Amino acid sequence: MRKWNIPLTYAPKIAGVLAGSIRQTIRTGRKFSPGDLVSFHGWEGKPYRSKWSFRTPYAPLKDVIPITIRADGVETSREFRPWHLLDGIARLDGIEPPTGEALCRVLSGMHKIPEGGVEAQIIRW
């Protein structure tokens, strides 16, 4: 079990995370495990160059789902789903509007998606 302090920079998600109505985020890499403790924080100003504006209590991760983010959708070990079929994931992640296409815009705006995709995890607490 590890403890993680994770920044939140996607503004539409912050209020829901603080209220407890959003309990999922998608993160690149493969470092999280079920049972890890996560705390989220925001920034007063420029990310990584300012003080934290809030910090949530630690919560244990219940689900950690490895995925590959591709230009055309999301792949798991069991299936591939194009963006237009990912509205449910977008809703759980606090994406505005809650559509797979909007999720694609948010993720591709935060990360360069190479031809082979980028490894990531859906984490739920």
Side-chain angles (χ1 to χ4, degrees):
M1 176 184 66
R2 295 184 67 184
K3 284 186 174 182
W4 302 95
N5 293 301
I6 303 172
L8 287 178
T9 57
Y10 181 64
K13 177 185 275 194
I14 293 171
V17 170
L18 292 175
S21 60
I22 296 174
R23 303 185 63 76
Q24 169 186 292
T25 191
I26 298 171
R27 298 291 157 154
T28 58
R30 299 279 170 91
K31 62 185 179 181
F32 299 105
S33 298
D36 284 358
L37 298 175
V38 295
S39 172
F40 297 93
H41 67 87
W43 302 101
E44 286 184 0
K46 191 170 183 169
Y48 301 99
R49 302 213 184 335
S50 64
K51 294 180 181 181
W52 290 358
S53 59
F54 66 86
R55 181 174 173 187
T56 67
Y58 283 101
L61 290 180
K62 294 179 180 179
D63 295 314
V64 176
I65 304 162
I67 62 172
T68 301
I69 302 168
R70 299 182 358 187
D72 54 349
V74 170
E75 185 175 3
T76 68
S77 62
R78 293 181 281 131
E79 67 180 339
F80 169 78
R81 293 173 69 188
W83 293 112
H84 71 276
L85 295 179
L86 293 170
D87 293 358
I89 297 294
R91 181 182 50 76
L92 290 173
D93 213 63
I95 302 299
E96 292 293 332
T99 66
E101 288 83 0
L103 177 62
C104 174
R105 285 190 296 278
V106 169
L107 292 175
S108 62
M110 292 181 171
H111 309 285
K112 180 177 171 40
I113 310 295
E115 186 176 321
V118 65
E119 288 187 342
Q121 293 174 303
I122 298 172
I123 63 172
R124 295 178 179 149
W125 58 95

